[in-house]
Amino acid sequence: MKKNVAATFRRYMPLIPAAAAIFGSAALTSGAGAETRVAAGGTLVFATGGDGASDKLEIAAVNADGRGFRKLTHILPPGIEPRWSTDGRRIVFLTEDTFTEDEGNWRMDADGGHRQRLPGGAWDVPSPSGNFVHIYDRIVDASGKVVRHLRPGLRREDFYGGPPLWSPDGRFITINVIKVTKQGDPGGVWIDVIPTIERGRGVAVTARRYGHYTGALSWSPDSRRMLVENQPARSFDWYTMAPDGSDRRLLFRTRRELSGNHAWSPDSEKIAYVGVAGGIFVVGAKGGRPRRIAATRTRGRYVSDVRLDWSARGEIAFTDKGGTYVMGADGTGLRRVSKRTGDPHWSPNGRKLVLAEAKQIFVIDRLGRERQLTRWIADGEPQVSSDGRRVTFVRGRGVYLESPSVYVMNSDGTGRRRLGPGERPRWSPDSSRIAYVQDRAVPENDQIFVADAGGGGTRAIANGEEPAWSPDGRLAFMRYDYVYEDRGEHGGPQWYLVKSTLLTANADGSGERSVAAFDADSDEGPIAASAPAWSPDGRTVALVFGGSVVLVDAVDGTRRALAGSSPDTLEWSPDGSHILARNYDTIWVIDAATGATTKILELEKDEFQDATWSPDGGAIGFVRCNLDEDVCDVYTVAAQAGAKPQRLTRTVVIERNLDWGP
């Protein structure tokens, strides 16, 4: 424990960040000062991250004046560390946000319904019933109302060494307290026990002395004893004791640290645990000789992956290589009930297990039949149709949209329909079709599909990427040629880009024609031509190559290079006179005729994620991210130098994938 708590200690304080800390304070070197209202109308759609603790990504919209924020899709939160309430009617679980790394407590019915966010975060621990939450010096109910005030008794130099532990009967809360020296090192660990009565005061039940490291691991099911780990010099001791620290019984002593994974028998008389080198052992709760009841395939430094629980029916469930297993308390009757792995917890009646795998929660019965309660899915890449009536977007696994599929829905979020596997959808000018890309294992085999937005079918039309519609309904797209080889200093055999080709084709795939080819070789490594954007008059395709904006004649392929600055994205103004360009710290506008550039905004720090024109071309919408706070919000700004940005969203996490529709 000494080694572990030294790396993880932190002072426990309820954090209520000031608005400046939440939303950031990075200045814009161009356009600083008071916000300027943008006269442009329309609706901005984007992916939003929710509350910053639930690991959700949903499609939202806001009016151009900053009013009317609304969700168009609604994602249920994924989950980790599920456990049953004492009555077996609910499951309490945690969510962990990928972007902020913050955590939240939730509860839901045993069938996955009626999900409710509970107060607090990861170290604000729900009671065994799931009806209350301990938050430092108080106990609150599920709505956040304070029902008990406590007196933890922590001093200035005292820190929490981990989440508190509720006794199963709810009468006590145990805290492992770390005393920190002036040099910032852990000087000792002891156990405080707080009765959950009004004004209950924490009492140290183990020695509060320098160099002593003693921490509680769990309570017995009957709430009469605690399992404790102590670390005297060069050894690790496990023992049990009464809640007041009396009647200490040594279970065993080992030279090597245990993983800590264990489970009490339902009668509180025995403890099963994972051995130092693997295997599952059982020892009496008041001492005796440990006995190995099962071997594990997981051994050595990976034994911490073996988790276990002991059911009211006397069966032990544990995870090992290959899945989750169940056996009798003596190790007999071993059988695999699931190929899934996680931290299994038995329901109070011993008939079902709940566990989480890849942030998805499953309930599994003793015969191996399972039910999935949560799914880790997210929505992104929204695009508004030109008539403003529909939105296409991508739904995938996790916030990085793995295994993505393209969907279309009405602009109010109704009528959602899946088109097929793919990503990066783009509307045709007449709002009748959607082009999107399916990635393949071999990069040069990526395919472009075109779907009838009204449900008339989908077809593959070409190999390529980054489709862009022309005003008359043709497509421009990129095709990349690769070679698989070992170039030594670049890290072994892999795919290397050798050529980028800009092509055009009709929407049904006919009439495919190569317009311009770009050699990928350079002193800095392979360079791709990317981000094609078709001019409103249908004569020119703008793209990025070698850090510059290049205009390509759509008929004869002649090229004209404009500004550099390595933009990530390009978009023509509605009237075709200018090109909007963006990279991570600058937004600028390029005169398509002269090549003259106008810098709209530049960040001293932080980052731009997206930029898009308003439907009338008079304004620009963009996403700005405060990298220190993991916060991204939507802004608008007039399309002129010196204009003052207007902030439209103020969420606690991210927005991204911005589009502006009518």
Side-chain angles (χ1 to χ4, degrees):
M1 180 182 299
K2 180 177 179 181
K3 178 176 63 178
N4 292 342
V5 298
T8 61
F9 75 86
R10 71 176 173 111
R11 183 179 299 276
Y12 180 92
M13 294 181 64
L15 301 178
I16 309 176
I22 295 176
F23 300 123
S25 57
L28 296 167
T29 59
S30 176
E35 294 180 348
T36 299
R37 290 280 175 182
V38 171
T43 300
L44 294 95
V45 297
F46 45 90
T48 184
D51 61 7
S54 300
D55 218 24
K56 298 192 296 182
L57 201 60
E58 301 162 311
I59 305 301
V62 67
N63 299 334
D65 61 3
R67 301 173 182 172
F69 178 92
R70 55 208 180 269
K71 297 279 188 71
L72 303 184
T73 64
H74 301 275
I75 298 294
L76 295 173
I80 58 175
E81 300 183 21
R83 57 267 191 207
W84 296 90
S85 62
T86 48
D87 62 6
R89 298 172 60 187
R90 293 191 179 99
I91 294 171
V92 179
F93 62 98
L94 274 175
T95 56
E96 181 180 41
D97 197 88
T98 299
F99 302 105
T100 66
E101 298 184 356
D102 290 336
E103 297 178 324
N105 290 304
W106 289 73
R107 70 179 183 185
M108 62 183 171
D109 292 346
D111 62 1
H114 297 96
R115 301 183 197 191
Q116 179 184 5
R117 173 75 188 273
L118 297 175
W123 288 21
D124 305 317
V125 181
S127 65
S129 68
N131 295 325
F132 303 100
V133 181
H134 169 240
I135 302 179
Y136 187 53
D137 60 353
R138 58 196 183 277
I139 296 174
V140 302
D141 63 17
S143 69
K145 180 181 178 181
V146 177
V147 297
R148 294 282 191 279
H149 293 88
L150 305 177
R151 295 185 293 173
L154 299 186
R155 302 172 184 174
R156 183 179 297 274
E157 67 276 10
D158 296 344
F159 294 76
Y160 273 32
L165 300 172
W166 284 80
S167 62
D169 61 10
R171 296 176 57 206
F172 298 100
I173 293 172
T174 297
I175 303 170
N176 293 328
V177 183
I178 302 176
K179 184 180 183 66
V180 179
T181 66
K182 293 181 179 180
Q183 291 74 33
D185 299 321
V189 181
W190 66 89
I191 300 170
D192 272 7
V193 175
I194 308 173
T196 57
I197 59 174
E198 177 64 23
R199 309 296 293 174
R201 183 176 183 83
V203 176
V205 297
T206 59
R208 189 191 286 236
R209 294 200 304 269
Y210 181 85
H212 282 247
Y213 299 88
T214 305
L217 299 178
S218 66
W219 285 85
S220 62
D222 62 9
S223 300
R224 294 182 178 181
R225 300 190 71 77
M226 288 187 288
L227 176 62
V228 174
E229 183 182 47
N230 182 45
Q231 293 185 17
R234 295 186 297 278
S235 68
F236 300 88
D237 298 349
W238 276 25
Y239 62 87
T240 62
M241 67 181 188
D244 62 0
S246 63
D247 191 23
R248 302 186 184 188
R249 304 292 184 94
L250 180 67
L251 304 185
F252 54 79
R253 174 172 293 167
T254 177
R255 293 288 185 182
R256 294 169 58 188
E257 187 174 13
L258 291 163
S259 68
N261 297 335
H262 67 280
W264 287 82
S265 63
D267 60 5
S268 301
E269 294 295 323
K270 298 176 182 178
I271 297 171
Y273 66 93
V274 181
V276 170
I280 296 176
F281 295 76
V282 171
V283 65
K286 292 188 177 181
R289 185 178 181 86
R291 180 170 60 91
R292 193 177 83 164
I293 63 169
T296 59
R297 296 167 60 193
T298 304
R299 301 182 181 89
R301 59 179 177 172
Y302 299 108
V303 295
S304 60
D305 295 337
V306 180
R307 305 299 181 94
L308 66 160
D309 196 27
W310 205 324
S311 79
R313 300 168 63 95
E315 293 180 309
I316 295 175
F318 67 96
T319 55
D320 197 1
K321 288 182 179 179
T324 298
Y325 301 81
V326 171
M327 62 183 176
D330 58 358
T332 60
L334 178 67
R335 64 192 186 278
R336 186 173 72 178
V337 296
S338 176
K339 293 182 179 180
R340 303 191 183 279
T341 58
D343 188 358
H345 288 273
W346 286 105
S347 60
N349 62 13
R351 295 179 178 176
K352 296 179 180 179
L353 289 162
V354 64
L355 59 81
E357 182 183 65
K359 292 192 175 182
Q360 301 182 113
I361 296 175
F362 300 86
V363 169
I364 304 167
D365 68 17
R366 297 173 60 252
L367 299 178
R369 294 171 296 198
E370 76 173 29
R371 179 176 182 177
Q372 185 170 354
L373 302 187
T374 69
R375 297 180 185 275
W376 192 27
I377 58 175
D379 295 335
E381 303 181 21
Q383 293 279 308
V384 186
S385 61
S386 59
D387 60 12
R389 297 173 57 189
R390 286 178 288 190
V391 175
T392 182
F393 66 98
V394 172
R395 173 167 289 180
R397 186 178 69 248
V399 293
Y400 297 114
L401 305 182
E402 299 173 5
S403 302
S405 290
V406 177
Y407 288 76
V408 65
M409 64 182 172
N410 297 325
S411 58
D412 61 1
T414 62
R416 185 175 70 244
R417 180 167 54 86
R418 182 177 180 268
L419 300 180
E423 56 190 326
R424 303 186 290 280
R426 296 293 183 268
W427 282 100
S428 64
D430 63 1
S431 302
S432 67
R433 289 167 292 189
I434 299 169
Y436 59 90
V437 178
Q438 278 189 18
D439 285 342
R440 304 295 187 182
V442 178
E444 59 188 12
N445 291 341
D446 292 349
Q447 285 190 296
I448 296 173
F449 283 72
V450 172
D452 186 314
T458 301
R459 63 180 297 176
I461 63 134
N463 284 357
E465 300 183 40
E466 301 189 85
W469 290 95
S470 72
D472 62 1
R474 290 178 294 152
L475 284 164
F477 56 95
M478 302 304 304
R479 182 173 294 161
Y480 300 111
D481 294 328
Y482 294 83
V483 60
Y484 189 78
E485 61 185 21
D486 187 348
R487 296 187 179 179
E489 69 274 12
H490 294 289
Q494 56 184 296
W495 291 101
Y496 290 93
L497 178 68
V498 294
K499 185 174 68 172
S500 305
T501 304
L502 173 67
L503 302 100
T504 61
N506 297 321
D508 61 1
S510 65
E512 181 181 302
R513 187 173 63 88
S514 175
V515 177
F518 300 82
D519 192 339
D521 286 341
S522 75
D523 294 337
E524 291 78 27
I527 297 176
S530 62
W534 215 313
S535 63
D537 63 9
R539 297 177 180 177
T540 306
V541 177
L543 52 77
V544 179
F545 180 67
S548 296
V549 177
V550 178
L551 301 186
V552 181
D553 188 290
V555 177
D556 62 21
T558 57
R559 312 176 196 178
R560 180 164 63 96
L562 299 181
S565 301
S566 299
D568 295 323
T569 59
L570 302 175
E571 185 178 326
W572 289 83
S573 62
D575 64 4
S577 62
H578 291 81
I579 299 171
L580 174 63
R582 173 199 62 82
N583 61 22
Y584 72 96
D585 66 353
T586 307
I587 295 173
W588 68 99
V589 171
I590 306 167
D591 188 302
T594 67
T597 63
T598 301
K599 186 182 294 184
I600 304 298
L601 294 171
E602 184 175 15
L603 286 173
E604 292 179 348
K605 64 175 185 176
D606 300 343
E607 182 175 298
F608 293 120
Q609 289 283 349
D610 299 285
T612 186
W613 290 101
S614 63
D616 65 3
I620 296 167
F622 64 93
V623 173
R624 172 193 162 197
C625 294
N626 183 320
L627 302 181
D628 292 334
E629 301 293 337
D630 293 311
V631 173
C632 301
D633 279 297
V634 176
Y635 293 74
T636 58
V637 65
Q640 59 191 38
K644 310 300 188 292
Q646 177 190 354
R647 186 175 186 172
L648 303 189
T649 64
R650 294 181 178 272
T651 60
V652 296
V653 66
I654 73 162
E655 266 79 51
R656 66 181 186 185
N657 306 146
L658 180 67
D659 190 37
W660 197 336

